Amino acid sequence: KAGVTQTPRYLIKTRGQQVTLSCSPISGHRSVSWYQQTPGQGLQFLFEYFSETQRNKGNFPGRFSGRQFSNSRSEMNVSTLELGDSALYLCASSLAGAGGYNEQFFGPGTRLTVL
Amino acid sequence: AQSVAQPEDQVNVAEGNPLTVKCTYSVSGNPYLFWYVQYPNRGLQFLLKYITGDNLVKGSYGFEAEFNKSQTSFHLKKPSALVSDSALYFCAVRDMNNNAGNMLTFGGGTRLMVKP
């Protein structure tokens, strides 16, 4: 079974631009979560989508948004990029359910650099 | 609110020796606890989880973790370390009584260095 895939793997943008990252979950997984990883803040939860609906949102500004499609694929968008948005963005998928006891499977991440 | 602490930024151990990576957590209810490992330029790989039942949980690659409710700890252990175990390890928690879907709160990570 194929793992979680993320595209692109690397991205360089300049301040003020916007960016869209894509995530394809493991087949059959309906929950997709996004995390931001930085050396200073560590791993922080951005949001989770389940059945095309945002189920949870972390403490990030409104410049960060996402969506999920009917095939469970997900995208996240960051508008008006800032230098501090430079990070590794990780997508994770898990089986359905709100119980939270299913482990999440992570993709390799998208390394975003903002210049 | 839920939180996780990994008190050691780095753990050094000789190959063949036992290793322990420490994790303590704070949740308002009962916890679901997870350990993940991250190799350079890779995403996180799931090692093991505690949901309920036996306090000693066995996972991938010979790792195990012990859940201690009174000490709110979930330390990761391995009887005999390998050089290939060198990586960044993350502990994560989810409060099962909090309607937060699959949201995980991660600790800051512990870098494990196994020397030959």
Side-chain angles (χ1 to χ4, degrees):
Chain A
K1 191 183 261 192
V4 177
T5 58
Q6 292 186 246
T7 56
R9 291 292 310 277
Y10 301 92
L11 207 49
I12 299 176
K13 292 285 187 179
T14 57
R15 281 180 297 174
Q17 288 186 309
Q18 75 166 15
V19 66
T20 299
L21 312 181
S22 181
C23 171
S24 292
I26 292 172
S27 178
H29 287 191
R30 293 167 60 192
S31 167
V32 174
S33 299
W34 289 89
Y35 295 84
Q36 181 197 64
Q37 185 177 20
T38 60
Q41 299 299 316
L43 276 158
Q44 293 186 289
F45 172 80
L46 279 157
F47 27 65
E48 180 199 3
Y49 286 87
F50 177 74
S51 293
E52 302 179 65
T53 301
Q54 188 181 87
R55 185 154 69 177
N56 288 290
K57 190 178 191 312
N59 189 24
F60 279 82
R63 300 184 297 106
F64 291 81
S65 63
R67 59 178 175 168
Q68 186 179 34
F69 303 95
S70 58
N71 61 358
S72 294
R73 190 177 69 85
S74 178
E75 289 181 347
M76 67 163 283
N77 183 277
V78 188
S79 62
T80 319
L81 284 166
E82 301 177 359
L83 295 178
D85 297 334
S86 295
L88 181 66
Y89 290 89
L90 293 165
C91 169
S93 74
S94 63
L95 289 169
Y101 49 79
N102 292 307
E103 58 270 29
Q104 296 182 34
F105 294 86
F106 284 79
T110 294
R111 172 76 61 186
L112 172 64
T113 302
V114 182
L115 302 176
Chain B
Q2 52 195 48
S3 65
V4 178
Q6 293 181 242
E8 301 156 317
D9 289 337
Q10 181 161 317
V11 169
N12 297 310
V13 64
E15 187 174 33
N17 283 359
L19 69 87
T20 298
V21 182
K22 296 180 180 178
C23 169
T24 59
Y25 65 90
S26 175
V27 294
S28 57
N30 292 313
Y32 293 145
L33 292 156
F34 303 81
W35 274 102
Y36 287 85
V37 60
Q38 186 176 34
Y39 295 97
N41 300 315
R42 302 275 292 275
L44 277 66
Q45 294 180 31
F46 170 74
L47 281 178
L48 49 80
K49 66 180 178 182
Y50 172 81
I51 303 302
T52 187
D54 289 341
N55 290 341
L56 185 63
V57 178
K58 293 188 183 296
S60 305
Y61 312 119
F63 284 94
E64 58 189 29
E66 186 168 11
F67 171 66
N68 188 315
K69 187 172 184 178
S70 63
Q71 297 185 6
T72 61
S73 67
F74 189 55
H75 301 331
L76 181 70
K77 300 181 180 183
K78 187 174 182 181
S80 179
L82 299 173
V83 172
S84 57
D85 292 330
S86 299
L88 189 56
Y89 290 80
F90 289 95
C91 180
V93 70
R94 183 196 174 285
D95 185 345
M96 72 166 72
N97 296 327
N98 179 5
N99 184 26
N102 283 314
M103 183 184 77
L104 291 176
T105 298
F106 284 88
T110 297
R111 185 164 301 282
L112 174 66
M113 299 289 289
V114 182
K115 299 187 178 179

